[in-house]
Amino acid sequence: MKKKILLSVTFLGIITLSACSSTKNSDEKTQKHSVTSSSTQKSLSRSKSTSSSRNNATAGSQTEKSSTGNISKSSTFPLSGYSSEQIEYARVTETLLNYYKIQHRPVSIEVTKNGTNHPVFPFSGSVVVPRDTVTLSFSYDYTMAGTSTVTYSSNHNGTINFYKDPNHYQDVRYLQDPVWVKQESQKLLDSTQLIEIPTSFDKQASQIISEIVIK
């Protein structure tokens, strides 16, 4: 009888120990799972935080670029509000003022458009310019001495061909000698020069553009 009791007690003890061990293992697994899950959540949270930071940085960079672009576009252009023709005439005039070292600001700028085969001199016998030209007459005091007249043709690449017209035609041969007129007009045409029209004078050009009168 005692043996049976001892065996029963022993058996119960084994079962109890087994149950405790099982419970402990289960608890450990639960804790490990909890730790793993917590680590995963933290990793995901960090990943989202990093992604969000990158997105914010990218957005900030894009905003900065956009802002810079807007500033660039909104920068004041000294010749804004004028037509492309007016801007061309103002730039050419300012370039020629610098070329001829004229220090005075023009008080009048007259523009005359000439068609193809425009005569160099307005007299019989004159040779002609075989292309469209523009004649600029600018004066700083409305006198003949203070007036310069230049005829040019655009090369449509930022340069022009030009020659300076006479301020007056007092020689009687202009009216009486077509052969002489032809020779002199050819000389003037042969004196044509090439010059680049820069944009570096735009500020100065903006101060004279309002004086332009197109005939």
Side-chain angles (χ1 to χ4, degrees):
M1 184 69 179
K2 290 181 179 180
K3 288 182 180 181
K4 288 183 178 181
I5 292 173
L6 287 173
L7 287 173
S8 297
V9 170
T10 301
F11 181 72
L12 288 173
I14 291 171
I15 292 174
T16 301
L17 289 172
S18 177
C20 289
S21 177
S22 177
T23 302
K24 183 178 180 181
N25 291 336
S26 178
D27 289 342
E28 288 178 352
K29 289 180 179 178
T30 301
Q31 289 177 352
K32 287 182 181 179
H33 177 72
S34 178
V35 170
T36 302
S37 178
S38 176
S39 298
T40 302
Q41 289 178 353
K42 287 181 180 179
S43 178
L44 288 173
S45 178
R46 288 176 183 172
S47 177
K48 288 181 179 179
S49 177
T50 302
S51 177
S52 177
S53 298
R54 288 176 180 172
N55 289 337
N56 290 337
T58 302
S61 176
Q62 290 174 346
T63 301
E64 184 179 353
K65 288 180 181 178
S66 177
S67 176
T68 304
N70 290 336
I71 290 173
S72 177
K73 289 181 180 179
S74 64
S75 296
T76 303
F77 176 52
L79 296 172
S80 61
Y82 293 96
S83 69
S84 57
E85 275 192 340
Q86 289 173 306
I87 292 173
E88 175 185 318
Y89 302 146
R91 283 175 171 168
V92 171
T93 300
E94 191 59 44
T95 300
L96 293 173
L97 287 172
N98 279 269
Y99 178 79
Y100 290 114
K101 301 186 186 304
I102 299 174
Q103 302 297 324
H104 304 283
R105 174 182 171 183
V107 292
S108 70
I109 303 172
E110 293 184 351
V111 178
T112 303
K113 297 180 181 180
N114 309 308
T116 304
N117 296 326
H118 170 259
V120 174
F121 291 155
F123 301 102
S124 176
S126 173
V127 298
V128 299
V129 184
R131 65 183 65 86
D132 292 340
T133 61
V134 173
T135 298
L136 291 175
S137 181
F138 42 91
S139 176
Y140 58 82
D141 61 2
Y142 298 108
T143 66
M144 184 177 294
T147 301
S148 297
T149 302
V150 175
T151 296
Y152 78 89
S153 60
S154 174
N155 295 314
H156 306 291
N157 61 359
T159 66
I160 62 169
N161 299 313
F162 73 99
Y163 60 82
K164 190 173 183 181
D165 295 274
N167 273 17
H168 51 75
Y169 300 94
Q170 295 179 340
D171 195 313
V172 295
R173 288 177 292 182
Y174 283 114
L175 296 173
Q176 299 175 356
D177 192 344
V179 175
W180 179 84
V181 169
K182 181 177 181 180
Q183 292 174 344
E184 292 302 306
S185 60
Q186 186 63 56
K187 286 180 184 178
L188 183 58
L189 187 60
D190 290 342
S191 72
T192 298
Q193 300 177 70
L194 176 72
I195 192 171
E196 181 180 356
I197 306 301
T199 59
S200 55
F201 296 137
D202 279 2
K203 185 176 180 180
Q204 294 91 324
S206 68
Q207 298 173 358
I208 65 173
I209 194 169
S210 61
E211 308 295 343
I212 293 174
V213 175
I214 302 174
K215 290 184 175 181

